[in-house]
Each structure stands twice: as structure tokens, then as C-alpha cells.
Amino acid sequence: MNETDNTKTNQALFEQARQLIPGGVNSPVRAFGSVGGTPYFVERAEGPHVHDVEGRRYIDYVQSYGPSILGHAHPAIVDAVVAAAARGTSYGAPTENEVLIAAEMVGRVPGLEMVRLVSSGTEAVMSAIRLARGTTGRDKIVKFAGNYHGHSDSLLVAGGSGVAQQGLIGSEGVTPGAVADTIVAPYNEVPELDDSIAVVVVEPIAANMGLVAPVTGFLEGLRTECDRVGALLIFDEVITGFRLCRGGAAEWYGVAPDIWCFGKVIGGGLPMGAFGASTKIMSNLAPLGGVYQAGTLSGNPLATAAGLAAMSRLDTAAYEQLTAIATSLQEGMSGAFANAGVAAVMPRVGPLVGLFFTDTAPTEFDGAKAAADNGVYRRFFHGMLDRGVAFAPGAYEAIFVSLAHGPTQIEETVVACREVAAELTAG
Ligand SMILES: *Cc1c(COP(=O)(O)O)cnc(C)c1O
């Protein structure tokens, strides 16, 4: 222990971080920009809790924005990663675990026949778009306002999550050329396509503008419209994949895309993403076909070990448990808001929950933005954080529960929520 260890505070670390890292963070939302205040610097985490460097413990509903579905530092994942690390951390040659995790994914998702592993959700969607363009020989892509697909150039328009929090419609440094072939459509309306469209990319449940479920007929309509003009359909299941249910959103809604993108849960908390499709489409990918895609750390042995350990625990019973936890959280918190007379809606699809401080659940980006930016969330956020409950530091994020969240944590959260709701109405 050196001397500075005793003086570590969130404030001191944040100040130092801001000298060395833009905004003090390695992903914008972590800087607390939209809620104000100083981020807590995590020292360790276990189960449903994170601990900061000042020794405070929080019930964690960030859960790394989705990956930590078993809870933090689950022994099975820790053991798998430690054992894998002892065998070497990266080889640049194929491994058995890559085959096993591919089989696990293909076995869960009807229609998914082949996958390629990458190191992030961004890479998964970026590569899936290239594959779709290469497969169709067309240029144009359609995305939906408020859907977030990572930070690759052509998809960085009208994005949710951190992009929306920064009040950006896109990003500086993205050339007009890079987005010239990107068409933005309103979520939950089936756009009319033509045969210039290569691909439609959608979050089957929008989870980066709060939580916005697809209205009845939306996903089915996209499927039909894509088929009509010969465009491909991508489901960006980076959040929904292996969190919603065994087979993800495609199974949940009974609509299959042409290409799936995965991330977050699939890596068990380590950097991993994946995209996949039928054998026919995936055969267009190098080395079989002419669409190039590669990665030094792709299929990384630590990530596949962690991912397999997580996936092997995600059976039907696990999803029922996760949904029960999410339901009790949603019911408890909704009740607290209603009793206090706070206008709030908490949409839920299975284990996915959102929170909007408004009367009716939005169905598209403008409504979600109006609710996210009305100033209530930041007061809610700090009220909860002061009481030891960490929600995401931004109103555009979904609420993530893990299998480690139990009735005790839910009850503590609801008690805190009652107090905060009373504060909100007090003005
Ligand atoms: C998080 C997310 C991404 C990007 O994944 P990264 O691992 O952060 O690159 C893409 N799509 C969706 C739907 C996401 O939620």
C-alpha cells in the first residue's frame, strides 16, 4: 500500500482522470454529464453490488449495461477466466471454446446457422452491415431514430444512449459521405422501402432510449417489407440477445431477421460480440467469400471461457427468475411513484425494464427524448445514489437486473424509491 491509497476519493480520482482521459472516462455516459456530480470509481463488485473507492456499497442496476447477467464476480465466471488465463490469454489460432460457444448460440436461435466472434457490439453491427451490403450488392441502410448500434461511422446518426445524452444528432468527425447512405426512420413505423436498400437494422426492443417495445406488427412489417424489396433485416440483439429469453427477441416475437448481432451477455463481462446468419449469407464472409472481416483478439480465450460459463447457466429457469426479479422491481417502484403522485411509467418486456418520468410510455424517439430530458431523472438518480442504489447515470439507459438480485435488494430499492418519490413531489 502506498500513501495515496488512503486518500483515494472519487473526487480526487475524477480530477486526476480528467487530466489524463477526456472527460475522465473511457465511455461518455460514465462522466455523469447528464445527471451532474462526480462519478463513483469502482473498487470491486460482487453479486448485485458495486463498491466504490470510498468504501460505499451500491445495489447496482447498471450491471455494466447488460453483460453481468449472473451478477458481478460470479464464481463460475471467475474460475473459468482464471483457468483460461493460466493457459494463455491470446493465440491467434482457433480454439475449442470458439466452437463450443458458436454451437451454444446456434443451438438457441432458430435460423442462426453460423456465427463470427468479434470483440464488441460496435464491431458486430459494423461487420453485419458490411456483410449485408456485400450480400445484396446495394448501398443504402435504414436505421431507426433512438436506436443505438455502437459508434461506427455509418450508424452514428440519431443514436440513443450516450449519443442522445450528449444532445448530439450524430458526431463530428463523421463525414457526410459516411452517412450519405444511411436513412433514419421513426421507430415503430414500418418504412416503405425500395430496391436501393441493402439492409434495415433495428433494435427489436429499443433499449437505448429508455425501454421502448415494438408495437404489434412492427417487426412483422419490417420482415414483410424487406422481403418485398429484397433487402436484408438485421436484429441488433446486443442487449436483447440471451437476456430476454433463451433465443432472444427473434424467439420472443416469432420474427426472424436475416442477420443477428450479439454482444454484452455473450461475453460474460469480458469483451466479446458476435454476428451470425444462415450458412448461405455467412459464406460471403472471408475466408469463404469476398466480404473482409478480421480481429487480432477475436474469439479471445478469456472471453469465450467467461461467455460459456455465463451461457451454461442461462436456461429457461434462469430467465423465469430474472423476469420475476424485474417484475417485482417494476411493481414495487411503480407503486412507490403512484403513491407519491409522481408521473412515471415503467415499461417491461420480460426481464427488461425501463423508466420514464411521464404519464404514458413513449413509442418513438421524440417522446422518449421529451421524457428523458424533463429534468426529473437526474433528481431521481441522485436521490437513489445517496441511498446506496446505483441506476445508470443517464435517462436513456435501460434498467438491468441480474440473477444475483434477490428480494432483499428489491425491497431496499423500493424503500429508497418511496423516499425519493416523496422528495420529487415535494418539488
Ligand atoms: C451496447 C450496444 C451496442 C454497442 O456495443 P459495444 O460493445 O458498446 O460496442 C450496439 N447495439 C446495441 C443495441 C447496444 O445496446
Side-chain angles (χ1 to χ4, degrees):
M1 277 249 172
N2 62 36
E3 242 170 78
T4 53
D5 283 337
N6 306 324
T7 59
K8 256 188 218 162
T9 62
N10 294 318
Q11 187 64 42
L13 277 173
F14 193 41
E15 273 163 27
Q16 196 184 358
R18 277 188 296 186
Q19 306 294 315
L20 299 167
I21 304 167
V25 292
N26 284 310
S27 199
V29 63
R30 299 178 196 168
F32 275 35
S34 73
V35 291
T38 304
Y40 52 92
F41 276 63
V42 175
E43 191 256 330
R44 70 196 156 86
E46 87 288 306
H49 295 116
V50 292
H51 302 252
D52 73 9
V53 292
E54 298 178 11
R56 292 201 52 172
R57 189 179 84 165
Y58 305 90
I59 300 172
D60 185 25
Y61 294 103
V62 183
Q63 292 287 337
S64 188
Y65 298 94
S68 312
I69 194 166
L70 303 185
H72 294 291
H74 189 284
I77 292 193
V78 174
D79 290 352
V81 171
V82 168
R87 294 191 297 268
T89 54
S90 186
Y91 317 118
T95 63
E96 183 182 10
N97 275 354
E98 292 168 78
V99 182
L100 295 178
I101 201 152
E104 179 71 44
M105 284 189 263
V106 165
R108 284 170 177 252
V109 181
L112 182 69
E113 294 173 345
M114 279 190 167
V115 294
R116 170 66 58 83
L117 301 181
V118 294
S119 298
S120 69
T122 296
E123 262 188 277
V125 189
M126 180 185 82
S127 305
I129 296 279
R130 185 181 306 144
L131 175 62
R133 283 173 160 161
T135 299
T136 57
R138 300 177 184 176
D139 296 342
K140 292 201 182 308
I141 63 184
V142 174
K143 82 170 285 281
F144 295 94
N147 281 192
Y148 179 68
H149 303 296
H151 62 93
S152 67
D153 282 4
S154 69
L155 293 168
L156 216 42
V157 275
S161 190
V163 194
Q165 256 159 57
Q166 300 270 306
L168 301 175
I169 50 159
S171 168
E172 289 173 21
V174 172
T175 62
V179 292
D181 289 322
T182 305
I183 298 161
V184 180
Y187 194 70
N188 268 330
E189 279 176 42
V190 178
E192 196 180 316
L193 307 178
D194 61 41
D195 64 10
S196 71
I197 306 296
V199 63
V200 173
V201 56
V202 66
E203 280 187 76
I205 298 169
N208 285 288
M209 50 168 160
L211 194 82
V212 177
V215 296
T216 307
F218 177 56
L219 299 175
E220 295 83 348
L222 291 182
R223 181 68 277 172
T224 307
E225 188 62 7
C226 284
D227 289 344
R228 189 180 69 81
V229 299
L232 300 183
L233 179 60
I234 296 178
F235 276 5
D236 178 349
E237 295 222 41
V238 169
I239 284 183
T240 52
F242 314 119
R243 171 168 287 274
L244 188 59
C245 59
R246 261 184 67 87
E251 174 188 294
W252 189 273
Y253 291 107
V255 179
D258 299 291
I259 306 177
W260 285 258
C261 298
F262 300 109
K264 299 195 167 111
V265 164
I266 186 70
L270 273 83
M272 185 156 73
F275 63 102
S278 63
T279 302
K280 184 162 180 273
I281 290 176
M282 291 302 275
S283 298
N284 294 322
L285 211 56
L288 298 178
V291 178
Y292 191 72
Q293 192 281 328
T296 301
L297 295 173
S298 291
N300 177 263
L302 301 194
T304 52
L308 278 167
M311 295 284 274
S312 70
R313 277 156 186 80
L314 296 174
D315 55 12
T316 306
Y319 290 109
E320 282 167 8
Q321 189 189 335
L322 201 63
T323 299
I325 295 161
T327 305
S328 64
L329 180 72
Q330 177 224 24
E331 287 174 352
M333 286 178 63
S334 299
F337 291 130
N339 286 341
V342 174
V345 282
M346 295 189 71
R348 182 181 63 79
V349 184
L352 277 166
V353 188
L355 168 59
F356 294 103
F357 288 106
T358 182
D359 285 315
T360 46
T363 56
E364 46 65 60
F365 194 33
D366 288 338
K369 240 186 331 203
D373 295 342
N374 66 12
V376 183
Y377 187 85
R378 73 155 56 203
R379 295 171 59 210
F380 163 78
F381 169 82
H382 280 293
M384 296 302 283
L385 198 67
D386 289 346
R387 290 166 177 81
V389 187
F391 285 88
Y396 289 91
E397 313 299 334
I399 296 171
F400 292 101
V401 295
S402 78
L403 288 164
H405 286 72
T408 313
Q409 285 80 41
I410 302 300
E411 184 53 30
E412 280 175 37
T413 304
V414 172
V415 167
C417 188
R418 281 191 202 115
E419 293 176 16
V420 173
E423 281 182 3
L424 293 178
T425 28

mmCIF file of all heavy atoms in Angstrom, residues 142 144 185-193 200 215-226 228 233:
data_model
loop_
_atom_site.group_PDB
_atom_site.id
_atom_site.type_symbol
_atom_site.label_atom_id
_atom_site.label_comp_id
_atom_site.label_asym_id
_atom_site.label_seq_id
_atom_site.Cartn_x
_atom_site.Cartn_y
_atom_site.Cartn_z
ATOM 1 N N VAL A 142 -31.152 1.415 -43.630
ATOM 2 C CA VAL A 142 -32.184 2.125 -42.875
ATOM 3 C C VAL A 142 -31.988 1.793 -41.399
ATOM 4 O O VAL A 142 -31.849 0.622 -41.034
ATOM 5 C CB VAL A 142 -33.603 1.695 -43.314
ATOM 6 C CG1 VAL A 142 -34.667 2.334 -42.423
ATOM 7 C CG2 VAL A 142 -33.844 2.064 -44.773
ATOM 8 N N PHE A 144 -33.289 3.274 -37.252
ATOM 9 C CA PHE A 144 -34.403 3.959 -36.601
ATOM 10 C C PHE A 144 -33.908 4.952 -35.559
ATOM 11 O O PHE A 144 -32.953 4.662 -34.818
ATOM 12 C CB PHE A 144 -35.354 2.934 -35.983
ATOM 13 C CG PHE A 144 -36.000 2.086 -37.037
ATOM 14 C CD1 PHE A 144 -35.439 0.866 -37.389
ATOM 15 C CD2 PHE A 144 -37.112 2.540 -37.724
ATOM 16 C CE1 PHE A 144 -35.987 0.099 -38.409
ATOM 17 C CE2 PHE A 144 -37.669 1.781 -38.745
ATOM 18 C CZ PHE A 144 -37.114 0.560 -39.091
ATOM 19 N N ALA A 185 -35.327 6.417 -39.937
ATOM 20 C CA ALA A 185 -36.794 6.343 -39.928
ATOM 21 C C ALA A 185 -37.291 6.368 -38.487
ATOM 22 O O ALA A 185 -36.545 6.016 -37.573
ATOM 23 C CB ALA A 185 -37.249 5.054 -40.616
ATOM 24 N N PRO A 186 -38.538 6.802 -38.266
ATOM 25 C CA PRO A 186 -39.072 6.769 -36.901
ATOM 26 C C PRO A 186 -39.316 5.334 -36.421
ATOM 27 O O PRO A 186 -39.808 4.504 -37.196
ATOM 28 C CB PRO A 186 -40.383 7.545 -36.991
ATOM 29 C CG PRO A 186 -40.679 7.745 -38.429
ATOM 30 C CD PRO A 186 -39.485 7.356 -39.243
ATOM 31 N N TYR A 187 -38.956 5.074 -35.151
ATOM 32 C CA TYR A 187 -39.156 3.729 -34.592
ATOM 33 C C TYR A 187 -40.637 3.405 -34.533
ATOM 34 O O TYR A 187 -41.489 4.276 -34.336
ATOM 35 C CB TYR A 187 -38.556 3.668 -33.174
ATOM 36 C CG TYR A 187 -38.406 2.259 -32.641
ATOM 37 C CD1 TYR A 187 -37.463 1.394 -33.171
ATOM 38 C CD2 TYR A 187 -39.211 1.798 -31.601
ATOM 39 C CE1 TYR A 187 -37.314 0.099 -32.686
ATOM 40 C CE2 TYR A 187 -39.072 0.502 -31.111
ATOM 41 C CZ TYR A 187 -38.113 -0.347 -31.662
ATOM 42 O OH TYR A 187 -37.980 -1.627 -31.184
ATOM 43 N N ASN A 188 -40.954 2.147 -34.690
ATOM 44 C CA ASN A 188 -42.324 1.648 -34.590
ATOM 45 C C ASN A 188 -43.227 2.034 -35.748
ATOM 46 O O ASN A 188 -44.454 1.918 -35.659
ATOM 47 C CB ASN A 188 -42.971 2.052 -33.256
ATOM 48 C CG ASN A 188 -42.772 0.968 -32.194
ATOM 49 O OD1 ASN A 188 -42.686 -0.217 -32.521
ATOM 50 N ND2 ASN A 188 -42.673 1.366 -30.935
ATOM 51 N N GLU A 189 -42.623 2.517 -36.849
ATOM 52 C CA GLU A 189 -43.381 2.703 -38.088
ATOM 53 C C GLU A 189 -42.641 1.943 -39.171
ATOM 54 O O GLU A 189 -41.434 2.124 -39.333
ATOM 55 C CB GLU A 189 -43.423 4.180 -38.495
ATOM 56 C CG GLU A 189 -44.458 5.004 -37.765
ATOM 57 C CD GLU A 189 -44.369 6.483 -38.165
ATOM 58 O OE1 GLU A 189 -44.201 6.772 -39.369
ATOM 59 O OE2 GLU A 189 -44.439 7.314 -37.251
ATOM 60 N N VAL A 190 -43.349 1.130 -39.923
ATOM 61 C CA VAL A 190 -42.695 0.366 -40.989
ATOM 62 C C VAL A 190 -42.461 1.310 -42.172
ATOM 63 O O VAL A 190 -43.409 1.835 -42.741
ATOM 64 C CB VAL A 190 -43.568 -0.831 -41.428
ATOM 65 C CG1 VAL A 190 -42.891 -1.587 -42.573
ATOM 66 C CG2 VAL A 190 -43.818 -1.764 -40.242
ATOM 67 N N PRO A 191 -41.186 1.549 -42.525
ATOM 68 C CA PRO A 191 -40.935 2.457 -43.649
ATOM 69 C C PRO A 191 -41.204 1.759 -44.976
ATOM 70 O O PRO A 191 -41.097 0.533 -45.071
ATOM 71 C CB PRO A 191 -39.444 2.769 -43.497
ATOM 72 C CG PRO A 191 -38.861 1.612 -42.786
ATOM 73 C CD PRO A 191 -39.952 1.003 -41.945
ATOM 74 N N GLU A 192 -41.547 2.551 -45.982
ATOM 75 C CA GLU A 192 -41.691 1.975 -47.321
ATOM 76 C C GLU A 192 -40.316 1.930 -47.963
ATOM 77 O O GLU A 192 -39.633 2.934 -48.060
ATOM 78 C CB GLU A 192 -42.656 2.825 -48.154
ATOM 79 C CG GLU A 192 -43.130 2.068 -49.378
ATOM 80 C CD GLU A 192 -44.091 2.897 -50.226
ATOM 81 O OE1 GLU A 192 -44.990 3.534 -49.642
ATOM 82 O OE2 GLU A 192 -43.906 2.900 -51.450
ATOM 83 N N LEU A 193 -39.886 0.765 -48.352
ATOM 84 C CA LEU A 193 -38.540 0.581 -48.905
ATOM 85 C C LEU A 193 -38.590 0.498 -50.418
ATOM 86 O O LEU A 193 -39.660 0.321 -51.009
ATOM 87 C CB LEU A 193 -37.925 -0.711 -48.344
ATOM 88 C CG LEU A 193 -37.895 -0.872 -46.827
ATOM 89 C CD1 LEU A 193 -37.298 -2.237 -46.457
ATOM 90 C CD2 LEU A 193 -37.098 0.246 -46.163
ATOM 91 N N VAL A 200 -32.060 -3.214 -43.398
ATOM 92 C CA VAL A 200 -32.727 -2.464 -42.333
ATOM 93 C C VAL A 200 -32.177 -3.000 -41.019
ATOM 94 O O VAL A 200 -32.195 -4.211 -40.781
ATOM 95 C CB VAL A 200 -34.264 -2.671 -42.389
ATOM 96 C CG1 VAL A 200 -34.934 -2.024 -41.192
ATOM 97 C CG2 VAL A 200 -34.825 -2.114 -43.694
ATOM 98 N N VAL A 215 -44.289 -2.012 -31.278
ATOM 99 C CA VAL A 215 -45.753 -2.147 -31.303
ATOM 100 C C VAL A 215 -46.103 -3.377 -32.146
ATOM 101 O O VAL A 215 -45.310 -3.827 -32.981
ATOM 102 C CB VAL A 215 -46.453 -0.883 -31.880
ATOM 103 C CG1 VAL A 215 -46.195 0.327 -30.982
ATOM 104 C CG2 VAL A 215 -46.029 -0.609 -33.315
ATOM 105 N N THR A 216 -47.279 -3.908 -31.890
ATOM 106 C CA THR A 216 -47.724 -5.091 -32.627
ATOM 107 C C THR A 216 -47.648 -4.824 -34.130
ATOM 108 O O THR A 216 -48.131 -3.796 -34.600
ATOM 109 C CB THR A 216 -49.185 -5.436 -32.240
ATOM 110 O OG1 THR A 216 -49.235 -5.533 -30.815
ATOM 111 C CG2 THR A 216 -49.619 -6.748 -32.864
ATOM 112 N N GLY A 217 -47.016 -5.711 -34.835
ATOM 113 C CA GLY A 217 -46.949 -5.582 -36.293
ATOM 114 C C GLY A 217 -45.689 -4.907 -36.803
ATOM 115 O O GLY A 217 -45.385 -4.995 -37.999
ATOM 116 N N PHE A 218 -44.948 -4.236 -35.916
ATOM 117 C CA PHE A 218 -43.752 -3.501 -36.390
ATOM 118 C C PHE A 218 -42.693 -4.452 -36.938
ATOM 119 O O PHE A 218 -42.256 -4.332 -38.086
ATOM 120 C CB PHE A 218 -43.190 -2.633 -35.260
ATOM 121 C CG PHE A 218 -41.921 -1.901 -35.621
ATOM 122 C CD1 PHE A 218 -41.872 -1.064 -36.729
ATOM 123 C CD2 PHE A 218 -40.771 -2.028 -34.842
ATOM 124 C CE1 PHE A 218 -40.695 -0.373 -37.074
ATOM 125 C CE2 PHE A 218 -39.597 -1.345 -35.166
ATOM 126 C CZ PHE A 218 -39.561 -0.524 -36.286
ATOM 127 N N LEU A 219 -42.280 -5.421 -36.130
ATOM 128 C CA LEU A 219 -41.220 -6.327 -36.578
ATOM 129 C C LEU A 219 -41.697 -7.214 -37.733
ATOM 130 O O LEU A 219 -40.961 -7.443 -38.698
ATOM 131 C CB LEU A 219 -40.720 -7.178 -35.395
ATOM 132 C CG LEU A 219 -40.110 -6.386 -34.233
ATOM 133 C CD1 LEU A 219 -39.764 -7.310 -33.068
ATOM 134 C CD2 LEU A 219 -38.882 -5.590 -34.680
ATOM 135 N N GLU A 220 -42.951 -7.661 -37.636
ATOM 136 C CA GLU A 220 -43.533 -8.457 -38.718
ATOM 137 C C GLU A 220 -43.551 -7.628 -40.007
ATOM 138 O O GLU A 220 -43.247 -8.119 -41.103
ATOM 139 C CB GLU A 220 -44.973 -8.883 -38.381
ATOM 140 C CG GLU A 220 -45.106 -9.826 -37.198
ATOM 141 C CD GLU A 220 -45.114 -9.122 -35.831
ATOM 142 O OE1 GLU A 220 -44.797 -7.908 -35.749
ATOM 143 O OE2 GLU A 220 -45.438 -9.794 -34.823
ATOM 144 N N GLY A 221 -43.929 -6.356 -39.868
ATOM 145 C CA GLY A 221 -43.988 -5.455 -41.023
ATOM 146 C C GLY A 221 -42.623 -5.233 -41.647
ATOM 147 O O GLY A 221 -42.490 -5.182 -42.877
ATOM 148 N N LEU A 222 -41.604 -5.117 -40.806
ATOM 149 C CA LEU A 222 -40.244 -4.951 -41.331
ATOM 150 C C LEU A 222 -39.830 -6.185 -42.126
ATOM 151 O O LEU A 222 -39.229 -6.084 -43.202
ATOM 152 C CB LEU A 222 -39.246 -4.728 -40.186
ATOM 153 C CG LEU A 222 -39.335 -3.405 -39.421
ATOM 154 C CD1 LEU A 222 -38.243 -3.350 -38.351
ATOM 155 C CD2 LEU A 222 -39.217 -2.207 -40.359
ATOM 156 N N ARG A 223 -40.170 -7.349 -41.577
ATOM 157 C CA ARG A 223 -39.835 -8.605 -42.255
ATOM 158 C C ARG A 223 -40.470 -8.646 -43.652
ATOM 159 O O ARG A 223 -39.827 -8.935 -44.654
ATOM 160 C CB ARG A 223 -40.315 -9.777 -41.382
ATOM 161 C CG ARG A 223 -40.066 -11.183 -41.870
ATOM 162 C CD ARG A 223 -38.606 -11.589 -41.883
ATOM 163 N NE ARG A 223 -37.941 -11.129 -43.096
ATOM 164 C CZ ARG A 223 -36.625 -11.204 -43.309
ATOM 165 N NH1 ARG A 223 -35.821 -11.725 -42.411
ATOM 166 N NH2 ARG A 223 -36.095 -10.769 -44.430
ATOM 167 N N THR A 224 -41.758 -8.326 -43.696
ATOM 168 C CA THR A 224 -42.505 -8.376 -44.959
ATOM 169 C C THR A 224 -41.965 -7.354 -45.958
ATOM 170 O O THR A 224 -41.772 -7.653 -47.140
ATOM 171 C CB THR A 224 -44.001 -8.072 -44.690
ATOM 172 O OG1 THR A 224 -44.451 -8.969 -43.671
ATOM 173 C CG2 THR A 224 -44.840 -8.252 -45.931
ATOM 174 N N GLU A 225 -41.704 -6.139 -45.467
ATOM 175 C CA GLU A 225 -41.253 -5.072 -46.361
ATOM 176 C C GLU A 225 -39.847 -5.370 -46.896
ATOM 177 O O GLU A 225 -39.566 -5.136 -48.072
ATOM 178 C CB GLU A 225 -41.309 -3.734 -45.608
ATOM 179 C CG GLU A 225 -41.060 -2.492 -46.427
ATOM 180 C CD GLU A 225 -42.064 -2.239 -47.561
ATOM 181 O OE1 GLU A 225 -43.063 -2.979 -47.651
ATOM 182 O OE2 GLU A 225 -41.814 -1.327 -48.369
ATOM 183 N N CYS A 226 -38.975 -5.899 -46.046
ATOM 184 C CA CYS A 226 -37.633 -6.284 -46.510
ATOM 185 C C CYS A 226 -37.726 -7.366 -47.585
ATOM 186 O O CYS A 226 -37.056 -7.290 -48.618
ATOM 187 C CB CYS A 226 -36.766 -6.778 -45.344
ATOM 188 S SG CYS A 226 -36.158 -5.450 -44.293
ATOM 189 N N ARG A 228 -40.172 -7.956 -49.544
ATOM 190 C CA ARG A 228 -40.803 -7.410 -50.751
ATOM 191 C C ARG A 228 -39.771 -6.795 -51.701
ATOM 192 O O ARG A 228 -39.872 -6.948 -52.919
ATOM 193 C CB ARG A 228 -41.859 -6.356 -50.360
ATOM 194 C CG ARG A 228 -42.730 -5.866 -51.515
ATOM 195 C CD ARG A 228 -43.745 -4.820 -51.062
ATOM 196 N NE ARG A 228 -43.149 -3.553 -50.677
ATOM 197 C CZ ARG A 228 -42.768 -2.596 -51.523
ATOM 198 N NH1 ARG A 228 -42.919 -2.764 -52.826
ATOM 199 N NH2 ARG A 228 -42.221 -1.468 -51.082
ATOM 200 N N LEU A 233 -32.660 -7.969 -43.260
ATOM 201 C CA LEU A 233 -33.084 -7.411 -41.974
ATOM 202 C C LEU A 233 -32.079 -7.835 -40.906
ATOM 203 O O LEU A 233 -31.776 -9.025 -40.781
ATOM 204 C CB LEU A 233 -34.491 -7.929 -41.628
ATOM 205 C CG LEU A 233 -35.111 -7.468 -40.305
ATOM 206 C CD1 LEU A 233 -35.262 -5.948 -40.241
ATOM 207 C CD2 LEU A 233 -36.482 -8.151 -40.098
#
